[in-house]
Amino acid sequence: MMKWKSTYLFILSLGMIIFLTACGGESEQTGSDAEGNNSDGGSTGEEVRGVTDDEIIIGNIVAQSGPQAIYGQIAQGIQTYFDYVNENGGVHGRQLKLLAYDGEYTPAVEMQQAQRLVEEEEVFLMLGNDCTPCNTATKEYYEEQGVINMMLGSGAQQFYEPPSDFFFGSEIANYRIETRVFYDYAVNELDAGRIAIVYQNDDYGKEGYEAVEAVRDDYDAEVVTEVPFVANEEDYTTHAQKVKDADVDTVIMLSTPNPAARLKQEFHAIGLTDINYIVSSVGGNDTTMFELAGEDVWEGTYSAGSIPVPDAPEAEGNEAIETYLEQYTEAYPGENYSGVPQWGYAGAEVFVEALERAGEDLNYDTFREALYSFDNWTEGTYAGVTFSPENHYGLTTLFMTRAQNGTIESVTDLINYDPETGEINYE
């Protein structure tokens, strides 16, 4: 009997030891994951997602195939600047590695690629992702995963208002800001009185449309017709005829490249050639538009820019633009070097400058603080870059452009938009 009791007590004691050991091991894993990473990608002093002693991994998703494949040049621009930086020693001893995946300008595909880059490749952040509907579809995912997106290929308001810890700046001016400037310029500089708004009927196009709706009563002009379209439409004859029937003097076209080119071709086909044609920078501020629409057709088109086109007179003597042109044409000889690839390159310049300012102890906190130190930064190819805890737009300075003599030339000095007051100031 005593022997049975001794055996029982021994087994019970051994079980308690095993249980307590298991509980103790489990408690050591709480607070952060086993590798020392916080849920937002920050550092606990051990590791930061996508960052090693000698490398930083960056993700990018842009359309590399399909009707919007021109945006694949964003990735080319980023890679060009990364190569330039890497050849010159990297940033604080770290080389920059870009993983650029094809999003096909399709939200479902973009989500798949986002999950792959974040969960499998474990990138530090995302840089230059295109497609407003795609960025809209993945926004909540990136916030849940704690992954910063910066210099998006989208100027939609939702990414910057209210400011988010995970979204900083766009490669092109915010759509609402840009369209506000378009409308102001059309009325006050081009004497527009009867205006047509033609807009891509999705999250992207509606941004600009809503910007016009908010201010149209503040100007001595009239929006006489509104013409929505779908991005993959091929035939724009009815859209052009509707504009002609409205007897307008100015068209503001909120569009990606192909629709903008096709609509102006239809205008020429029906003899509507004496109107002001103003196109979003994502669809119009690129010399490839002369090829898409035809040189004579595209001549005279207005747009806006935050980066001088390399062939434009104002780019002469600009050291940053000259460096870009030298590096990009060497990397991609014979390819278009204005517009879209410049966005990627310029966005990469901002990213690298932030890395430099963040210092060797790189994590999300030091990176955000570095971004907040940008106050009209002009050392890159952008006209000016500013961030603050209240302002995540990045680009609020632009200039109006016009397609002339086979290139895109600025027709104004810098135009500054104040996000707090809504004021537009021409320098």
Side-chain angles (χ1 to χ4, degrees), residues 375-398:
D375 185 9
N376 195 33
W377 182 67
T378 59
E379 295 177 19
T381 53
Y382 279 128
V385 181
T386 300
F387 288 107
S388 73
E390 297 76 30
N391 173 18
H392 283 204
Y393 287 106
L395 303 182
T396 55
T397 300
L398 50 83

mmCIF file of all heavy atoms in Angstrom, residues 375-398:
data_model
loop_
_atom_site.group_PDB
_atom_site.id
_atom_site.type_symbol
_atom_site.label_atom_id
_atom_site.label_comp_id
_atom_site.label_asym_id
_atom_site.label_seq_id
_atom_site.Cartn_x
_atom_site.Cartn_y
_atom_site.Cartn_z
ATOM 1 N N ASP A 375 10.997 69.336 -45.210
ATOM 2 C CA ASP A 375 10.338 70.644 -45.260
ATOM 3 C C ASP A 375 10.702 71.323 -46.581
ATOM 4 O O ASP A 375 11.719 71.991 -46.687
ATOM 5 C CB ASP A 375 10.766 71.506 -44.071
ATOM 6 C CG ASP A 375 10.023 72.840 -44.017
ATOM 7 O OD1 ASP A 375 9.060 73.023 -44.787
ATOM 8 O OD2 ASP A 375 10.415 73.693 -43.199
ATOM 9 N N ASN A 376 9.869 71.089 -47.593
ATOM 10 C CA ASN A 376 10.123 71.588 -48.950
ATOM 11 C C ASN A 376 11.493 71.128 -49.444
ATOM 12 O O ASN A 376 12.310 71.929 -49.910
ATOM 13 C CB ASN A 376 10.014 73.112 -49.012
ATOM 14 C CG ASN A 376 9.918 73.620 -50.450
ATOM 15 O OD1 ASN A 376 9.343 72.960 -51.320
ATOM 16 N ND2 ASN A 376 10.476 74.781 -50.708
ATOM 17 N N TRP A 377 11.727 69.826 -49.357
ATOM 18 C CA TRP A 377 12.987 69.240 -49.826
ATOM 19 C C TRP A 377 13.050 69.327 -51.351
ATOM 20 O O TRP A 377 12.148 68.871 -52.054
ATOM 21 C CB TRP A 377 13.067 67.773 -49.377
ATOM 22 C CG TRP A 377 14.340 67.093 -49.755
ATOM 23 C CD1 TRP A 377 15.590 67.357 -49.297
ATOM 24 C CD2 TRP A 377 14.476 66.004 -50.683
ATOM 25 N NE1 TRP A 377 16.496 66.504 -49.869
ATOM 26 C CE2 TRP A 377 15.846 65.668 -50.732
ATOM 27 C CE3 TRP A 377 13.575 65.293 -51.472
ATOM 28 C CZ2 TRP A 377 16.334 64.646 -51.535
ATOM 29 C CZ3 TRP A 377 14.057 64.281 -52.270
ATOM 30 C CH2 TRP A 377 15.425 63.956 -52.307
ATOM 31 N N THR A 378 14.114 69.903 -51.876
ATOM 32 C CA THR A 378 14.241 70.145 -53.318
ATOM 33 C C THR A 378 15.522 69.569 -53.911
ATOM 34 O O THR A 378 15.858 69.879 -55.045
ATOM 35 C CB THR A 378 14.203 71.658 -53.608
ATOM 36 O OG1 THR A 378 15.275 72.310 -52.909
ATOM 37 C CG2 THR A 378 12.877 72.266 -53.184
ATOM 38 N N GLU A 379 16.227 68.729 -53.175
ATOM 39 C CA GLU A 379 17.506 68.218 -53.663
ATOM 40 C C GLU A 379 17.358 67.069 -54.653
ATOM 41 O O GLU A 379 18.329 66.681 -55.302
ATOM 42 C CB GLU A 379 18.382 67.796 -52.485
ATOM 43 C CG GLU A 379 18.778 68.962 -51.593
ATOM 44 C CD GLU A 379 19.575 68.524 -50.387
ATOM 45 O OE1 GLU A 379 20.122 67.402 -50.418
ATOM 46 O OE2 GLU A 379 19.640 69.286 -49.413
ATOM 47 N N GLY A 380 16.166 66.504 -54.758
ATOM 48 C CA GLY A 380 15.905 65.472 -55.749
ATOM 49 C C GLY A 380 15.303 66.089 -57.000
ATOM 50 O O GLY A 380 15.461 67.281 -57.268
ATOM 51 N N THR A 381 14.591 65.283 -57.765
ATOM 52 C CA THR A 381 14.001 65.784 -59.009
ATOM 53 C C THR A 381 12.628 66.428 -58.804
ATOM 54 O O THR A 381 12.147 67.146 -59.688
ATOM 55 C CB THR A 381 13.883 64.652 -60.050
ATOM 56 O OG1 THR A 381 13.181 63.542 -59.472
ATOM 57 C CG2 THR A 381 15.254 64.192 -60.502
ATOM 58 N N TYR A 382 11.981 66.199 -57.645
ATOM 59 C CA TYR A 382 10.701 66.834 -57.378
ATOM 60 C C TYR A 382 10.863 68.331 -57.145
ATOM 61 O O TYR A 382 11.899 68.785 -56.639
ATOM 62 C CB TYR A 382 10.039 66.221 -56.138
ATOM 63 C CG TYR A 382 9.309 64.929 -56.391
ATOM 64 C CD1 TYR A 382 9.568 63.803 -55.613
ATOM 65 C CD2 TYR A 382 8.337 64.821 -57.377
ATOM 66 C CE1 TYR A 382 8.897 62.610 -55.816
ATOM 67 C CE2 TYR A 382 7.663 63.620 -57.599
ATOM 68 C CZ TYR A 382 7.948 62.531 -56.818
ATOM 69 O OH TYR A 382 7.280 61.350 -57.030
ATOM 70 N N ALA A 383 9.793 69.074 -57.455
ATOM 71 C CA ALA A 383 9.809 70.513 -57.227
ATOM 72 C C ALA A 383 9.869 70.844 -55.741
ATOM 73 O O ALA A 383 10.385 71.895 -55.355
ATOM 74 C CB ALA A 383 8.569 71.158 -57.853
ATOM 75 N N GLY A 384 9.342 69.971 -54.897
ATOM 76 C CA GLY A 384 9.383 70.188 -53.457
ATOM 77 C C GLY A 384 8.620 69.084 -52.737
ATOM 78 O O GLY A 384 7.547 68.687 -53.178
ATOM 79 N N VAL A 385 9.177 68.601 -51.608
ATOM 80 C CA VAL A 385 8.548 67.521 -50.837
ATOM 81 C C VAL A 385 8.470 67.938 -49.375
ATOM 82 O O VAL A 385 9.478 68.338 -48.781
ATOM 83 C CB VAL A 385 9.340 66.201 -50.944
ATOM 84 C CG1 VAL A 385 8.650 65.090 -50.149
ATOM 85 C CG2 VAL A 385 9.509 65.793 -52.399
ATOM 86 N N THR A 386 7.279 67.837 -48.795
ATOM 87 C CA THR A 386 7.058 68.214 -47.400
ATOM 88 C C THR A 386 6.186 67.175 -46.707
ATOM 89 O O THR A 386 5.165 66.758 -47.248
ATOM 90 C CB THR A 386 6.363 69.586 -47.298
ATOM 91 O OG1 THR A 386 7.181 70.585 -47.917
ATOM 92 C CG2 THR A 386 6.113 69.969 -45.850
ATOM 93 N N PHE A 387 6.614 66.762 -45.512
ATOM 94 C CA PHE A 387 5.801 65.895 -44.663
ATOM 95 C C PHE A 387 5.757 66.487 -43.258
ATOM 96 O O PHE A 387 6.677 67.190 -42.830
ATOM 97 C CB PHE A 387 6.404 64.489 -44.560
ATOM 98 C CG PHE A 387 6.295 63.656 -45.801
ATOM 99 C CD1 PHE A 387 7.411 63.406 -46.588
ATOM 100 C CD2 PHE A 387 5.080 63.099 -46.183
ATOM 101 C CE1 PHE A 387 7.324 62.628 -47.731
ATOM 102 C CE2 PHE A 387 4.977 62.323 -47.322
ATOM 103 C CZ PHE A 387 6.104 62.084 -48.096
ATOM 104 N N SER A 388 4.691 66.186 -42.550
ATOM 105 C CA SER A 388 4.575 66.500 -41.132
ATOM 106 C C SER A 388 3.536 65.549 -40.559
ATOM 107 O O SER A 388 2.834 64.867 -41.316
ATOM 108 C CB SER A 388 4.128 67.958 -40.935
ATOM 109 O OG SER A 388 2.758 68.122 -41.275
ATOM 110 N N PRO A 389 3.414 65.470 -39.231
ATOM 111 C CA PRO A 389 2.380 64.586 -38.668
ATOM 112 C C PRO A 389 0.977 64.911 -39.176
ATOM 113 O O PRO A 389 0.127 64.020 -39.259
ATOM 114 C CB PRO A 389 2.501 64.844 -37.156
ATOM 115 C CG PRO A 389 3.931 65.227 -36.959
ATOM 116 C CD PRO A 389 4.285 66.035 -38.176
ATOM 117 N N GLU A 390 0.742 66.163 -39.557
ATOM 118 C CA GLU A 390 -0.570 66.577 -40.063
ATOM 119 C C GLU A 390 -0.658 66.523 -41.578
ATOM 120 O O GLU A 390 -1.759 66.601 -42.141
ATOM 121 C CB GLU A 390 -0.899 68.000 -39.602
ATOM 122 C CG GLU A 390 -1.017 68.179 -38.104
ATOM 123 C CD GLU A 390 0.336 68.206 -37.395
ATOM 124 O OE1 GLU A 390 1.322 68.654 -38.028
ATOM 125 O OE2 GLU A 390 0.416 67.770 -36.227
ATOM 126 N N ASN A 391 0.465 66.439 -42.266
ATOM 127 C CA ASN A 391 0.499 66.476 -43.731
ATOM 128 C C ASN A 391 1.265 65.283 -44.271
ATOM 129 O O ASN A 391 2.492 65.250 -44.229
ATOM 130 C CB ASN A 391 1.142 67.778 -44.208
ATOM 131 C CG ASN A 391 1.358 67.821 -45.713
ATOM 132 O OD1 ASN A 391 0.747 67.055 -46.466
ATOM 133 N ND2 ASN A 391 2.241 68.706 -46.164
ATOM 134 N N HIS A 392 0.524 64.294 -44.786
ATOM 135 C CA HIS A 392 1.152 63.114 -45.379
ATOM 136 C C HIS A 392 1.094 63.150 -46.907
ATOM 137 O O HIS A 392 1.409 62.158 -47.553
ATOM 138 C CB HIS A 392 0.475 61.835 -44.866
ATOM 139 C CG HIS A 392 0.879 61.456 -43.478
ATOM 140 N ND1 HIS A 392 0.790 60.165 -43.001
ATOM 141 C CD2 HIS A 392 1.384 62.189 -42.456
ATOM 142 C CE1 HIS A 392 1.213 60.121 -41.748
ATOM 143 N NE2 HIS A 392 1.566 61.349 -41.398
ATOM 144 N N TYR A 393 0.695 64.279 -47.481
ATOM 145 C CA TYR A 393 0.604 64.376 -48.934
ATOM 146 C C TYR A 393 1.980 64.256 -49.597
ATOM 147 O O TYR A 393 2.124 63.625 -50.642
ATOM 148 C CB TYR A 393 -0.023 65.711 -49.345
ATOM 149 C CG TYR A 393 -1.493 65.822 -49.093
ATOM 150 C CD1 TYR A 393 -1.986 66.592 -48.047
ATOM 151 C CD2 TYR A 393 -2.412 65.150 -49.899
ATOM 152 C CE1 TYR A 393 -3.338 66.696 -47.804
ATOM 153 C CE2 TYR A 393 -3.773 65.252 -49.663
ATOM 154 C CZ TYR A 393 -4.233 66.025 -48.617
ATOM 155 O OH TYR A 393 -5.571 66.126 -48.377
ATOM 156 N N GLY A 394 2.979 64.902 -49.028
ATOM 157 C CA GLY A 394 4.309 64.891 -49.646
ATOM 158 C C GLY A 394 4.434 65.937 -50.728
ATOM 159 O O GLY A 394 5.256 66.851 -50.644
ATOM 160 N N LEU A 395 3.612 65.823 -51.777
ATOM 161 C CA LEU A 395 3.671 66.759 -52.902
ATOM 162 C C LEU A 395 2.475 67.701 -52.869
ATOM 163 O O LEU A 395 1.342 67.285 -53.077
ATOM 164 C CB LEU A 395 3.673 66.002 -54.238
ATOM 165 C CG LEU A 395 4.770 64.964 -54.458
ATOM 166 C CD1 LEU A 395 4.635 64.350 -55.850
ATOM 167 C CD2 LEU A 395 6.141 65.571 -54.267
ATOM 168 N N THR A 396 2.723 68.962 -52.623
ATOM 169 C CA THR A 396 1.686 69.987 -52.696
ATOM 170 C C THR A 396 2.143 71.151 -53.576
ATOM 171 O O THR A 396 1.518 72.199 -53.606
ATOM 172 C CB THR A 396 1.313 70.513 -51.292
ATOM 173 O OG1 THR A 396 2.497 70.971 -50.625
ATOM 174 C CG2 THR A 396 0.656 69.421 -50.463
ATOM 175 N N THR A 397 3.245 70.936 -54.285
ATOM 176 C CA THR A 397 3.781 71.934 -55.203
ATOM 177 C C THR A 397 3.833 71.338 -56.605
ATOM 178 O O THR A 397 4.357 70.239 -56.799
ATOM 179 C CB THR A 397 5.206 72.377 -54.779
ATOM 180 O OG1 THR A 397 5.148 72.947 -53.474
ATOM 181 C CG2 THR A 397 5.774 73.392 -55.749
ATOM 182 N N LEU A 398 3.281 72.030 -57.576
ATOM 183 C CA LEU A 398 3.305 71.554 -58.960
ATOM 184 C C LEU A 398 3.348 72.740 -59.916
ATOM 185 O O LEU A 398 3.400 73.896 -59.489
ATOM 186 C CB LEU A 398 2.094 70.661 -59.238
ATOM 187 C CG LEU A 398 0.692 71.164 -58.843
ATOM 188 C CD1 LEU A 398 0.126 72.087 -59.904
ATOM 189 C CD2 LEU A 398 -0.243 69.979 -58.647
#
